[in-house]
Amino acid sequence: MPLTTSTVFRSAFDTGSGPSTSFSRRFDSARSYCVQRFSGSVDRETAADFAAALDRVARDRVHGVVLDFSAVNFFGAIGLVLLQTFVDDATERSIPVVLVGERTVSRPLEICGMTSYIRIFDTVDDAGRELTEGEIGPSTTKFAAFE
């Protein structure tokens, strides 16, 4: 299955529920974050598309990155290597990275020991809320991915 991607930039002032005039929640943070969504497979055939999408995110000035893997149905070893490189680069720039995904993605990350460095959330809203209101700092990952 081919890989498709989309990028959305949000701020802490985004409610995530569309245009609404009655919103009672108060945000104290003006941080912005990027949501990079992926769907399909991350494997050798789609590695270039995956890397290009991550590069797009790396060029932008944001306070955090949410990588949404909730629609990914396969996450191979090449995805782990590219993700590690992305997280290391983001760490050097003091940008926290969090993930959204199901077992398809979380299991390979667990096996590599990456889940102790990068938090995985159930929803994009939870991940974004933690980036803007929480205490998530830049990830520090050192792990090995075996092919």
Side-chain angles (χ1 to χ4, degrees):
M1 175 181 234
L3 181 72
T4 58
T5 66
S6 67
T7 307
V8 177
F9 293 92
R10 299 174 85 177
S11 77
F13 299 105
D14 291 340
T15 64
S17 61
S20 174
T21 56
S22 61
F23 183 69
S24 60
R25 182 157 166 68
R26 182 173 163 252
F27 285 103
D28 293 325
S29 173
R31 293 181 178 185
S32 63
Y33 62 97
C34 173
V35 178
Q36 178 63 57
R37 290 188 169 95
F38 298 93
S39 64
S41 298
V42 179
D43 54 23
R44 286 179 24 188
E45 290 181 16
T46 61
D49 294 335
F50 184 64
L54 293 176
D55 285 344
R56 263 195 318 268
V57 173
R59 284 184 275 151
D60 295 308
R61 309 277 309 160
V62 293
H63 295 101
V65 175
V66 176
L67 298 176
D68 182 4
F69 294 121
S70 57
V72 169
N73 56 20
F74 179 80
F75 196 76
I78 190 70
L80 292 169
V81 172
L82 294 171
L83 181 61
Q84 175 189 2
T85 301
F86 174 77
V87 170
D88 289 345
D89 291 346
T91 299
E92 288 178 15
R93 296 175 42 213
S94 298
I95 298 172
V97 177
V98 296
L99 307 177
V100 174
E102 297 179 11
R103 196 77 176 143
T104 304
V105 175
S106 66
R107 183 64 181 144
L109 295 174
E110 287 171 7
I111 291 170
C112 290
M114 199 168 178
T115 54
S116 60
Y117 301 101
I118 296 179
R119 295 206 31 210
I120 300 175
F121 293 89
D122 292 328
T123 68
V124 171
D125 287 338
D126 290 344
R129 190 177 305 99
E130 189 65 28
L131 280 176
T132 58
E133 297 174 3
E135 296 297 320
I136 291 184
S139 304
T140 54
T141 177
K142 298 291 180 213
F143 73 100
F146 301 99
E147 293 188 39

